[in-house]
Amino acid sequence: MKIGLDTLGGDFAPNSTILGAIEAQKMLAEDHRIVLIGDEADAKKRIQEAGIDPALFDYVHAPENIGMHEHPTKAITQKPNSSIAKGFDLLKDGHLDSFASAGNTGAMLVGSMFSVKTVPGVLRPAIATNVPKLKSGFGILLDVGANADCKPEMLNQFALLGSLYSQYVYGVENPKVGLLNIGEEEEKGNILTIATYPLLKANTKINFIGNAEGRDLFTDHADVYVCDGYTGNVVLKLAESFYVVTKKKGFEDDFFGRFDYERYGGSPILGINAPVLIGHGISTPEAIKNMVLFSRDMIQSKFIDRIKSAFN
């Protein structure tokens, strides 16, 4: 197994990415290798300084970095030696089994779309995130930023992608799918949700339970919540602020603790032909470690094969 990691992506890279990779490596099997993509000499130096044998890792030299504010499409094409561009080349050619980065989100989406490409039949990929449930565990929310504007057919596919993800990666049997809306009645909502509802209702591949309101998000009402990327990103950023506020107030609680992005490491791009994870720009070594371990779990779940089968 080859797990690709962009060592240059993120606000605290390469220090946080290298330290996170070191911690993740300790928890991997012998035949699982982390491939560090970035400045090879610098990576080896940092690993040696941490008292670790650099031979425990594989390396691909990619000295250029795509900054957080660079135009994604231009950067991918104009910086072929960047860590993100190199990572997707390796993933496309089968030299990696997964690729993860805490770098430019737009570049990760562009790389996914034009390199490994979407699974045949998938209209648009979606980014999924975890939302904690009050009692225990968490649900899945998608899309949270890949598609600000959506068509009903896209939300219908997001529902299936999220359901497969919940079932085969997290082991939720027959996950309940809810359409995030402003009311529980079928006729409620805007043009998009009103048109989406009958598609979800007729979709025999999912367990659709109807509309879900914002107040349902952290309950057992559903296991998968579907929305357009604009709405999902607003919800995600609001949810992240819960954790920040509780920490600033000195409030310790298991429920709010499960909002901590470090626990999950990264968010997967669903609907493409290989496991790709996007980490938070402010990822710490702990977050990087968990992103690498989650990459392993995504590979072992054979989730991509499940998507291909469902959309074939």
Side-chain angles (χ1 to χ4, degrees), residues 37-287:
I37 306 164
D39 189 319
E40 181 176 353
D42 180 70
K44 288 181 176 178
K45 178 183 176 182
R46 291 175 184 272
I47 291 170
Q48 283 182 321
E49 290 174 348
I52 304 297
D53 183 2
L56 293 172
F57 300 88
D58 294 339
Y59 304 86
V60 172
H61 187 55
E64 291 185 292
N65 179 40
I66 296 178
M68 291 294 193
H69 301 292
E70 291 190 62
H71 188 280
T73 305
K74 289 181 179 179
I76 285 283
T77 56
Q78 294 175 1
K79 289 186 173 182
N81 290 319
S82 66
S83 51
I84 289 180
K86 282 282 190 182
F88 278 113
D89 284 342
L90 293 165
L91 189 64
K92 177 186 65 175
D93 294 336
H95 299 303
L96 294 177
D97 296 302
S98 67
F99 179 51
S101 173
N104 188 304
T105 299
M108 291 295 287
L109 284 168
V110 170
S112 298
M113 291 282 290
F114 295 101
S115 181
V116 295
K117 303 184 183 303
T118 55
V119 170
V122 174
L123 297 172
R124 291 279 297 181
I127 301 176
T129 193
N130 297 340
V131 286
K133 292 185 177 183
L134 192 56
K135 291 182 179 179
S136 64
F138 49 84
I140 306 299
L141 174 68
L142 77 165
D143 178 32
V144 294
N147 311 277
D149 296 300
C150 291
K151 297 178 180 179
E153 295 80 8
M154 292 165 62
L155 293 192
N156 190 32
Q157 290 194 348
F158 295 169
L160 178 54
L161 290 171
S163 183
L164 292 169
Y165 178 56
S166 179
Q167 182 176 355
Y168 291 108
V169 177
Y170 289 116
V172 178
E173 192 65 32
N174 197 28
K176 297 178 291 185
V177 179
L179 175 63
L180 199 59
N181 210 333
I182 60 171
E184 62 182 21
E185 298 85 1
E186 184 172 345
E187 66 276 7
K188 283 290 184 72
N190 56 17
I191 295 174
L192 175 61
T193 57
I194 291 172
T196 300
Y197 194 103
L199 296 181
L200 298 178
K201 192 175 180 179
N203 191 339
T204 58
K205 295 182 178 180
I206 63 171
N207 177 19
F208 181 55
I209 62 166
N211 287 327
E213 298 182 79
R215 63 186 176 187
D216 299 319
L217 197 60
F218 307 117
T219 71
D220 292 324
H221 182 76
D223 301 298
V224 177
Y225 296 90
V226 179
C227 61
D228 61 89
Y230 183 93
T231 302
N233 194 264
V234 171
V235 172
L236 171 63
K237 297 297 172 57
L238 177 62
E240 288 180 342
S241 73
F242 291 164
Y243 177 70
V244 175
V245 170
T246 56
K247 293 294 288 184
K248 287 183 177 179
K249 293 290 187 180
F251 182 59
E252 296 293 336
D253 180 83
D254 175 67
F255 170 66
F256 289 110
R258 283 186 277 120
F259 281 91
D260 184 4
Y261 75 94
E262 289 188 340
R263 294 194 181 193
Y264 312 112
S267 298
I269 303 176
L270 305 183
I272 56 176
N273 283 297
V276 173
L277 272 75
I278 300 175
H280 205 297
I282 58 171
S283 288
T284 62
E286 178 70 13

Side-chain angles (χ1 to χ4, degrees), residues 274-296:
V276 173
L277 272 75
I278 300 175
H280 205 297
I282 58 171
S283 288
T284 62
E286 178 70 13
I288 296 296
K289 179 198 76 173
N290 287 327
M291 183 164 64
V292 171
L293 296 178
F294 189 47
S295 297
R296 173 202 60 191

